[in-house]
Amino acid sequence: MFIYITKRLLWVIPTILTVLLVLFSLSYLLPGDPADIILGPRATPEMAAELESRLGLDKPWYQSYLIYLQNIIKGDLGSSIFKDRSVLKVILNVLPYTVILTLAGMGLAVFNGISIGLLAANYNNSYFEKFLTMISFITASTPTYIAGVLLIVIFSVNFNLLPSIGIGDGGLLETIHHLIGPALALSVGWTGYIARLTRSSMLETLDQEFIQTEKSFGIPRYYILYKYALKKAIKPIITVIGLGIGRLLGGAVFVEVIFNRPGLGRLIVDSVNERDLPMVRGGVLVAALLFIIANLIADISYAYFDPRIRQK
Amino acid sequence: MFKSQKFFRFKKKSTRVINIMKKDYKAYLGGSIIMLILISAIFAPLIAPADPYKTNVIKRLEGPSLENLLGTDSLGRDILSRLIYAARPAVLVSFGGIIISVIIGIILGLLAAYVGGIMESIILFIFDVVRAFPPIILILVLLSIIGPSLLSVIVILGVTIMPRYGRVVRAETLSEKEEDFVEAARSLGADNSRIIFKHILPNIFASVLVLSGMDMASMIMWEAGLSFLGLGLQPPLSSWGVMLQESYQYIQTAPLMILWPALAIMLTMLGFSTFAESLRVALNPKLNQEV
């Protein structure tokens, strides 16, 4: 296990270096001259030259790449072109909102998904089960942004129960009130997925011999279902949670835009629109790092539950 | 003689799959939704009751009526006609994107499995780098480089999803390569290209087919999402994402308008995913009892 984890960690380093190279090359790939975009048409050549040296565009690419790497290691992501603020500070300001949103979304998805899946497994082959399966298919095929839009239409416009924008004024109740809609929207897709996974995993476990043995011992049905079977069936669900957190980070982009919340996703969308290159680079780097970590956790938990993977 | 035998063997397998799917309500549901979308995409001008681009400012934001079954949008265009026409970009994006990612994925996956060594490491590394970004963010950044258009959306979606196919094709090729029937073919003097096309590709076809059904749904989802953010297809082209974005601005005054494109996207995704699920169960005999 230890060897497997070390191997996976070592494999991540070249990936991150290449991610950095890709982000670095953005300054050459993005259309238009950065100096033109930032300074506008009335810029003097001196101003352009000063800006180019500040962005490291006047040196050969490998030198500027090394400087870029050095700065990253020092924790310096540069400063935003427009706001004249440190990119790292801006990101650290909005990151907690995205993390909370993602975790809340995942929590809801796990809770609702497992509940639906258990019910479906319990009432297998009934019309109620078909209904629940259909529900999980429908939620699994609802994109985050559509869930968000529908929630706003139903709960904010029609019934005026939930706020449709913002994060509240900072009080705990306000924060939670503003989090319900976005977290629910984010969770919808994974609720269906986890429900289907729970159902098939439960059915598979209930088919096994140790359950038959317990039945023949006369252990009550709910005890078998929720204590013995669930304990074993929950493993594949735990392994997808890491994967799911990574996916929800992507979904948070839409939720943050629709509900007008601050966050990493909206920051990236806004800076792509404004062509704020250092901000795009920094935001995408942090998003990619979080994504890599989530995937790493998912891989390691797979290996933890399935020793065959470790040997590969 | 030999050829016709082969044809019958293929026919037998597909008949078996179709027979299993005939008993599955998900296959009917998914299949009919996909047919509906294909028909609207191909015959849009014949089906649509009005011109999707004809504006009429006097009749803007009207509710459903006999003349405009689903009402009109902010420029007075017929929503039903726009919905029907929007099936075209959806079909183009999903089929185009999937063809690109399957072709590149199969080529890279086969190369990795067959050449091995440094080539395999490089290809796997490329997959890892693509997979290191959250898909939607990678798509956003790539689109901002190339610029939004139908073609760039198709190509970028294809490239973003490609590593899934590459990894599946590589893994399955590696295990198929060790199978006895491949060994037998090789000892009979079959060269690599014959083994790949006659023995390995037909065997990995099933997993690629199921995977692509699910990915076509995600491509439609991403296209609409990008257009919704204003970074994908651009108005006045009618796409479900563009319609979603246009009606989002009127969500407080005309909330009914946003339901139609939302329902269209959900229905499409439901169709592709239920059909793919039913196909997955039918193609995998071990799972058959679950139907």
Side-chain angles (χ1 to χ4, degrees), chain B residues 10 52 67 105 130 133 168 175 264 271:
Chain B
F10 175 73
E67 200 184 335
V130 175
F133 297 95
V168 167
S175 70

Side-chain angles (χ1 to χ4, degrees), chain A residues 97 101 152 163-168 178 182 252-263 266 270, chain B residues 248:
Chain A
Y97 297 111
L101 176 66
I152 290 184
S164 61
I165 55 164
I167 49 159
H178 280 80
V253 176
F254 294 110
V255 173
E256 283 163 3
V257 170
I258 291 172
F259 287 90
N260 207 354
R261 290 170 62 86
R266 216 184 95 200
D270 287 349
Chain B
Y248 180 65

Side-chain angles (χ1 to χ4, degrees), chain A residues 65-130:
Chain A
Y65 180 51
L66 283 180
I67 296 172
Y68 176 65
L69 281 186
Q70 275 172 5
N71 287 339
I72 298 269
I73 292 167
K74 277 188 245 156
D76 176 14
L77 295 181
S79 56
S80 160
I81 295 177
F82 299 105
K83 291 156 194 150
D84 212 25
R85 286 163 66 194
S86 147
V87 168
L88 190 66
K89 260 194 193 140
V90 176
I91 290 176
L92 287 181
N93 263 338
V94 297
L95 193 58
Y97 297 111
T98 304
V99 172
I100 291 173
L101 176 66
T102 311
L103 292 181
M106 198 66 218
L108 277 177
V110 168
F111 182 78
N112 294 338
I114 290 184
S115 313
I116 297 177
L118 279 179
L119 277 176
N122 197 3
Y123 296 100
N124 195 23
N125 286 331
S126 68
Y127 280 104
F128 184 53
E129 185 260 330
K130 289 233 163 29

